[in-house]
């Protein structure tokens, strides 16, 4: 009998198991998940889970009956420790060896760690897993001064939640702007103001130099400017590293993630990779990228299920993201570069507006604040490559919703043609 082995019980792995059954796959599915919990959603961990005094409940990815109902052999708390691509077997931490017809890496990513003096002190935390979140949540109850290292999405979501609970919060960011690599300059500046206005002490251009402590417990964070900020809790959010060591051991090509082609196949025809751990050729940017988002993990899983059931399908979904920072909901459609030309539509002071980003006159992405309908319209425009220009966006009569609906009337030749990257 054919057997698909999935390594990783996160967003991508669970969706793949589900979608394989929806696509009619009747062989065995074995899903290995090294965390001790039933699969859960990560996004709430830095948002609602931290905002509430007694902690919100973790949100499961599927009902408890899912694995039985879908005939998925779920190996809870079991790590795959080695892969033999020649014999097509995996070895797991419970001592078992299993052979596969197809193997899928859905191993996700792990936190990048700091290594400055004092990194080993008690009270220095990271946020990736439910266990991380529970530990952090427990310490928030008694903490007074929190220092967050890194003004990325997760660091700022956590900072906003901690501030909402009345804590003194300092955020140290080495770069000149918060979320500087992934947002337009305008949006980044907007968020700097939002967080500063809420009372967060946002220090831009200041990295972490060392951590100080008393009796083994952190008491302060010294920035690269030499200033020491008081801290009884430090949260590090400086990005992630893809979990690709097993893939290296299996002699797969790895370059900032497990390298896959448009159908998510690795350099071994029997092995695939998806989600945070994989690097794929993105049709919208023409470049190879590795994304960290729920949309990417779940959409890749749905597409891979088609390929694994005999309907090879390239992954071409438009990337989109969201973040909730205090009262501000940010939604991003497409991939934005900080130096894109940006046009603001709406009134930022009202707390509801969008930023349209262009590169060489072509729309690359749209950032929307508290404007879900404009975000949905932007996704349609980008998905269908409708010819939106900066001039059109600047026109006072521009209506994103009706523009996004015009595709039915367009000659396909009028849509923007993008070069598709070659698959590897
Ligand atoms: C705090 C937080 C907030 C987030 N907020 C958002 C958000 O607002 N919006 C958004 O789009 N995205 C958000 N993300 C990102 C999103 O959660 C990830 O992109 C998504 O979970 C990726 O899914 P994945 O299945 O690829 O990886 P993961 O969810 O990381 O799952 C991979 C799993 O594989 C396991 N594993 C690894 N190696 C092995 C092995 N050898 N054997 C067995 N198991 C293994 C890992 O332990 C992990 O459980 C957030 C992430 C975090 C941490």
């Amino acid at each position: 009998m054919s057997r698909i082995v999935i390594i990783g019980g996160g967003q991508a792995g669970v969706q793949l198991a589900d979608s394989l059954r929806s696509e009619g796959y009747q062989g065995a599915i074995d899903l290995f998940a090294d965390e001790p919990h039933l699969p859960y959603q990560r996004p709430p961990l830095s948002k609602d889970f931290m905002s509430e005094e007694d902690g919100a409940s973790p949100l499961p990815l599927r009902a408890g009956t899912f694995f039985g109902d879908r005939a998925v052999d779920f190996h809870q708390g079991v790590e795959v420790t080695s892969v033999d691509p020649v014999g097509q077997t995996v070895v797991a931490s419970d001592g078992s060896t299993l052979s596969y017809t197809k193997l899928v890496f859905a191993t996700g990513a792990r936190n990048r760690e700091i290594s400055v003096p004092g990194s080993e002190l008690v009270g220095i935390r990271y946020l990736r897993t439910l266990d991380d979140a529970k530990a952090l949540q427990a310490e928030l109850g008694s903490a007074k001064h929190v220092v967050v290292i890194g003004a990325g999405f997760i660091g700022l979501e956590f900072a906003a939640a901690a501030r909402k609970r009345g804590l003194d919060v300092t955020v140290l960011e080495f770069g000149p702007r918060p979320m500087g690599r992934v947002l337009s300059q305008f949006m980044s500046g907007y968020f700097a103001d939002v967080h500063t206005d809420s009372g967060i002490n946002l220090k831009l251009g200041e990295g972490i130099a060392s951590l100080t402590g008393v009796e083994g417990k952190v008491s302060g964070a010294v920035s690269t400017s030499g200033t020491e900020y008081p801290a009884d809790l430090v949260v590090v959010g400086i990005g992630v590293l893809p979990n690709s060591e097993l893939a290296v051991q299996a002699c797969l090509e790895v370059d900032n993630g497990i390298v896959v082609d448009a159908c998510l196949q690795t350099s071994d025809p029997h092995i695939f990779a998806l989600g945070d751990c994989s690097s794929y050729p993105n049709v919208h940017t023409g470049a190879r990228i590795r994304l960290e988002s729920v949309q990417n993990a779940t959409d890749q899983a749905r597409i891979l299920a088609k390929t694994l059931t005999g309907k090879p399908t390239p992954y071409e979904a438009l990337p989109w993201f969201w973040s909730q920072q205090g009262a501000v909901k940010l939604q991003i459609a497409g991939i934005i570069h900080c130096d894109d030309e940006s046009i603001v539509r709406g009134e930022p002071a009202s707390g509801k507006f969008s930023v349209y980003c262009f590169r060489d006159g072509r729309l690359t992405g749209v950032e929307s604040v508290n404007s879900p309908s404009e975000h949905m319209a932007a996704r349609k425009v980008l998905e269908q490559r409708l010819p939106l220009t900066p001039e059109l966006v600047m026109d006072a009569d521009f209506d994103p919703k009706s523009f996004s609906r015009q595709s039915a009337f367009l000659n396909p030749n009028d849509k923007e043609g993008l070069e598709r990257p070659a698959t590897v």
Side-chain angles (χ1 to χ4, degrees), residues 286-307:
R288 178 171 283 288
I289 54 178
R290 189 178 64 75
L291 294 177
E292 294 152 21
S293 73
V294 169
Q295 172 277 322
N296 182 62
T298 52
D299 282 349
Q300 285 194 334
R302 292 188 186 98
I303 290 297
L304 181 56
K306 291 182 191 298
T307 297

Side-chain angles (χ1 to χ4, degrees), residues 114-124 126 211 216-218:
I114 49 166
S115 58
V116 297
S119 305
E120 73 295 341
L121 289 163
V122 172
I124 295 161
Y126 294 81
L211 293 153
K217 170 126 185 34
V218 70

Side-chain angles (χ1 to χ4, degrees), residues 385 407 409-417:
R385 300 169 195 185
S407 60
F409 308 107
L410 269 181
N411 178 327
N413 296 331
D414 291 339
K415 295 185 185 182
E416 291 187 5

Side-chain angles (χ1 to χ4, degrees), residues 2 39 44 72 91 104 110 128 131 133 144 150 162-163 269 279 285-286 298 311 314 318 353 401-402:
S2 94
V72 174
V91 176
V104 180
R110 62 182 181 281
R128 176 85 197 171
D131 289 343
K144 287 194 171 53
R163 183 66 199 132
S279 153
T285 59
T298 52
K311 297 152 279 190
L318 177 82
F353 67 102
K401 244 187 188 167
S402 38

Side-chain angles (χ1 to χ4, degrees), residues 7 9 41 115 154 167 173 175 194 227 229 233 243-244 255 263 269 297 303 305 322 331 347 352 366 379 390 392 413:
I7 314 177
Q41 299 179 31
S115 58
I154 291 174
L167 276 74
E173 167 56 50
V194 164
T227 311
Y229 299 96
L233 179 62
N243 288 326
S244 49
D255 182 8
C263 288
I303 290 297
W322 83 93
Q331 289 169 293
E347 187 40 65
K352 200 172 174 221
V366 180
R379 271 164 55 179
L392 274 170
N413 296 331

Side-chain angles (χ1 to χ4, degrees), residues 45-56 123 125 127 132-148 157-169 217 232-235:
L45 299 182
S46 49
K47 305 176 183 76
D48 295 351
F49 201 82
M50 291 300 153
S51 301
E52 307 193 7
E53 297 283 334
D54 49 358
R125 294 275 174 203
L127 181 50
D132 291 341
K134 282 182 173 167
L136 201 44
Q137 163 66 237
E139 286 177 14
L140 269 179
S142 57
K144 287 194 171 53
H145 304 285
V146 179
V147 170
V148 177
E157 286 173 357
F158 171 79
R163 183 66 199 132
K164 193 171 159 201
R165 290 180 59 161
L167 276 74
D168 165 50
V169 181
K217 170 126 185 34
D232 38 27
L233 179 62
V234 170
V235 177

